[in-house]
Amino acid sequence: MIDQRVVPVPAHEPPYYAVVFTSVHVEEDGGYGETAERLSELVKEIPGFLGEDYAGTPGGLSVTVAYFRDLAGIEAWRNHTEHRVAKAYGREHWYERYSLHIAKVEHSHGFERTGA
Amino acid sequence: MIDQRVVPVPAHEPPYYAVVFTSVHVEEDGGYGETAERLSELVKEIPGFLGEDYAGTPGGLSVTVAYFRDLAGIEAWRNHTEHRVAKAYGREHWYERYSLHIAKVEHSHGFERTGA
């Protein structure tokens, strides 16, 4: 069953920034979902935030990609108090491993099925 | 059950490139898995390919992030014959929507749980 409301963040006009966060969680990541939901609301208040996409393979990798218009927005989010607390807690309790990549988007495009 | 063999592509020394491909599939995407597996083998032959991560939420978004040392590698992969054929087929048969972002990584870091 496909959830037709699921729509990826669209291609914006470059330049903008993508923050790619790829993680493997420990088996019991209690409280993660609730905190993730709270953070996904908070990040919307950051100036220049363009949207974020999340995908998680059950038992496998999770990838979150957040898009910002500029590095100032990324810096504001990085220093956001509640986000900082959650990150420190996550390193203690949730994550086996993660990689973070901050990247400037130079090209982008989108596709939508006719009639979708 | 966490698959402990799942390891994200590590942070490399910038600069390098990330190709973020975020998609929503049609309900019946016959042949997709087999082609995706074939392509994930082929891309390893591209000079400058650094690795790729995939995550897919059942019934939701899929995100693939492929990393390359430079734009020449991305261009070589974009023009790879079998990849081109698969992309055209995918637009006809597999994808409701997708967004593609090509981005130059400026900062990166990784985390690994002690003893992981």
Side-chain angles (χ1 to χ4, degrees), chain A residues 1-4 6-12 16-18 20 22-27 53-63 65 67 71 90-113 116, chain B residues 1-4 6-12 16-18 20 22-27 53-63 65 67 71 90-113 116:
Chain A
M1 180 69 189
I2 302 288
D3 185 343
Q4 297 296 348
V6 176
V7 176
V9 174
H12 285 73
Y16 54 100
Y17 279 83
V20 181
T22 309
S23 59
V24 179
H25 293 215
V26 300
E27 208 146 336
D53 287 325
Y54 168 80
T57 302
L61 275 184
S62 295
V63 181
V65 188
Y67 300 92
L71 282 173
R91 282 188 294 268
E92 284 292 321
H93 298 278
W94 294 328
Y95 300 120
E96 276 302 328
R97 294 188 170 82
Y98 65 68
S99 301
L100 180 82
H101 313 262
I102 298 176
K104 187 180 193 173
V105 179
E106 298 180 349
H107 308 280
S108 65
H109 73 263
F111 166 80
E112 188 175 335
R113 178 169 296 275
Chain B
M1 179 69 188
I2 303 288
D3 185 342
Q4 297 297 345
V6 176
V7 175
V9 175
H12 285 73
Y16 55 99
Y17 280 82
V20 181
T22 309
S23 58
V24 180
H25 292 215
V26 299
E27 209 147 334
D53 287 325
Y54 168 83
T57 302
L61 275 184
S62 295
V63 181
V65 189
Y67 301 92
L71 283 173
R91 282 188 295 268
E92 285 290 321
H93 298 279
W94 295 327
Y95 300 120
E96 276 302 327
R97 292 187 171 82
Y98 64 70
S99 301
L100 180 82
H101 314 262
I102 298 176
K104 186 180 192 174
V105 179
E106 298 179 350
H107 308 280
S108 65
H109 73 262
F111 166 79
E112 188 175 334
R113 178 170 297 275

Side-chain angles (χ1 to χ4, degrees), chain A residues 43-66:
Chain A
V43 71
K44 292 177 187 167
E45 297 166 12
I46 301 292
F49 175 70
L50 301 174
E52 73 179 358
D53 287 325
Y54 168 80
T57 302
L61 275 184
S62 295
V63 181
T64 302
V65 188

